[in-house]
Every structure is written in structure tokens, then in C-alpha cells.
Amino acid sequence: MIPLNSSVVSGVALSKVDGEVKMLLMKRTKGGFWCHVAGSIEEGETGWQTIIREFHEETEIGVTELYNAQCFEQFYEANLNIIEIIPVFVVQCPLNQAVSLNSEHTEYRWCTLDEAKALVSFPGQRDVYDHIWANFVLSEPSSLLKVNIG
């Protein structure tokens, strides 16, 4: 049997940058690959609280508008023999959102869908970006997906 792990969450930030909606990608220091924000749930946290904390730690973005993306990143991590199931969130940011990276990342880019899909290494990331673009950029997200962060 392969164990399941669901102790990590991820989030994609969207902002209108120079008049065009774009998503935030960052290049990881460890591994050198492009990704979006993600992190482990700490004791006593909910998934949505974790993604807010991770956005603050990794980018200094203060999350004010958070959505449940209604999708998961899923992959088999061979070195740990674990299937990762990661809930995805969407952060709607103000126009031209400023980003200040911590040491986990070396650079960032605000990307169109095509630019983001060209940068990332993993098929699952491209699937997540397609889903987010279709449901949060090309159409208005349902208010039922909005997370009440109070």
C-alpha cells in the first residue's frame, strides 16, 4: 500500500499587471524549478490559514481575497513512496501586486497562462494553471468558493 499525504497546501496568486491578468511564479532556491506558493500545515492550522501564512512568508503578500480552487495537485513522490494530495487555493491580489521574496526563491515573474505553462516542469502544474485560468480568469468564480477569512 502507498500512503497518502495531505499535509501541504498550495496557492496561485492572480493580479492585473500592466492591464493584463497574470499569475505569480517563483523560482525555488532548492532545485531551481518554477512553482507557485506552497507549504506544510502546522499544528492547529487549517489549510486556508496555512496558505495565508505561506503567502506572507514567501512573498509578503497580505491575503485579503481567498478562494478554494476546487482542484488538487496530485503526484507520487517516489523517494518517499507517498502519494501527495495538495488542495489548491487562489489569491486575488490588487492591481500590480508587489512581491518581496524570502530565501526560498531566487526570482519571480508575473506570467500569462502560456508563459506559466512554459516555465514549469511538472504536468500537474500545467493542469492546475489551466483549471485556475478557466475558472478564475476567463469566468467569474462562484461566490461559494470564496473562503471567509474573517
Side-chain angles (χ1 to χ4, degrees), residues 65-76:
E65 195 170 348
L66 183 67
Y67 289 85
N68 176 348
Q70 290 285 292
C71 70
F72 298 89
E73 292 184 74
Q74 304 170 71
F75 56 91
Y76 173 68

Side-chain angles (χ1 to χ4, degrees), residues 38-138:
S40 297
I41 300 169
E42 294 182 356
E43 188 173 335
E45 280 184 330
T46 63
W48 65 266
Q49 290 169 328
T50 299
I51 203 60
I52 290 172
R53 176 181 52 76
E54 289 290 339
F55 262 94
H56 178 73
E57 290 175 2
E58 294 184 20
T59 67
E60 292 189 15
I61 291 174
V63 175
T64 58
E65 195 170 348
L66 183 67
Y67 289 85
N68 176 348
Q70 290 285 292
C71 70
F72 298 89
E73 292 184 74
Q74 304 170 71
F75 56 91
Y76 173 68
E77 197 161 339
N79 62 329
L80 298 175
N81 190 42
I82 289 176
I83 295 172
E84 295 281 355
I85 301 174
I86 302 170
V88 180
F89 293 90
V90 174
V91 175
Q92 296 279 14
C93 298
L95 295 175
N96 300 306
Q97 173 67 58
V99 176
S100 181
L101 297 179
N102 69 4
S103 61
E104 294 178 52
H105 307 282
T106 58
E107 60 182 295
Y108 73 90
R109 293 185 194 166
W110 285 103
C111 301
T112 64
L113 175 60
D114 289 340
E115 290 167 344
K117 288 168 60 175
L119 279 178
V120 296
S121 302
F122 305 107
Q125 290 171 298
R126 290 187 283 278
D127 292 342
V128 164
Y129 299 159
D130 281 335
H131 174 85
I132 288 171
W133 206 262
N135 294 285
F136 291 87
V137 177
L138 298 179

Side-chain angles (χ1 to χ4, degrees), residues 1-14:
M1 184 158 99
I2 301 172
L4 301 176
N5 180 35
S6 60
S7 65
V8 174
V9 296
S10 71
V12 175
L14 298 174

